[in-house]
Amino acid sequence: VMLDAGGEIKPLSRKLAEAVDYFCPNEQELGRLTGMPTGTDGQALAAALVLLGQYAGAGVRNVLVTLEARGSMLLVGDGAGGVRQVLRQPALPVPGGVVVDAT
């Protein structure tokens, strides 16, 4: 099950987290959920690691962070709060070259 954070500012309930395989916050949601900066790839990675650790015992196994013009970052969890793999996907070119809404 993939769950978009959808503007959430409070932690997931344990019951909901138990059903989630992929939790998907955007950069701003990640910052609000962790209280950490996310303006650079390194900061976003650090915050995503914290988020994955917070939910690992509850069931969330992976975190996919959308980073607007910087693309996205997927943390593949090891099931114990650690990370098995980090994958980066750069943003793809937009037909016409004009981004109207990065979300």
Side-chain angles (χ1 to χ4, degrees):
V1 171
M2 182 177 276
L3 177 66
D4 186 291
E8 194 59 62
I9 58 172
K10 60 182 179 179
L12 296 177
S13 71
R14 183 164 185 93
K15 183 174 182 174
L16 179 57
E18 288 173 351
V20 174
D21 297 304
Y22 290 84
F23 185 49
C24 307
N26 66 32
E27 185 176 0
Q28 291 77 29
E29 293 161 342
L30 178 63
R32 287 194 302 266
L33 289 165
T34 62
M36 298 173 69
T38 59
T40 67
D41 286 354
Q43 290 172 333
L45 176 59
L49 286 166
V50 166
L51 190 68
L52 186 61
Q54 288 173 346
Y55 292 124
V60 173
R61 289 173 280 291
N62 309 285
V63 174
L64 173 62
V65 182
T66 56
L67 300 168
E68 297 184 352
R70 296 193 333 262
S72 62
M73 178 183 307
L74 173 63
L75 282 70
V76 179
D78 64 5
V83 175
R84 198 164 25 106
Q85 188 174 19
V86 177
L87 302 170
R88 284 285 282 118
Q89 173 63 52
L92 299 174
V94 176
V98 178
V99 176
V100 177
D101 182 356
T103 60

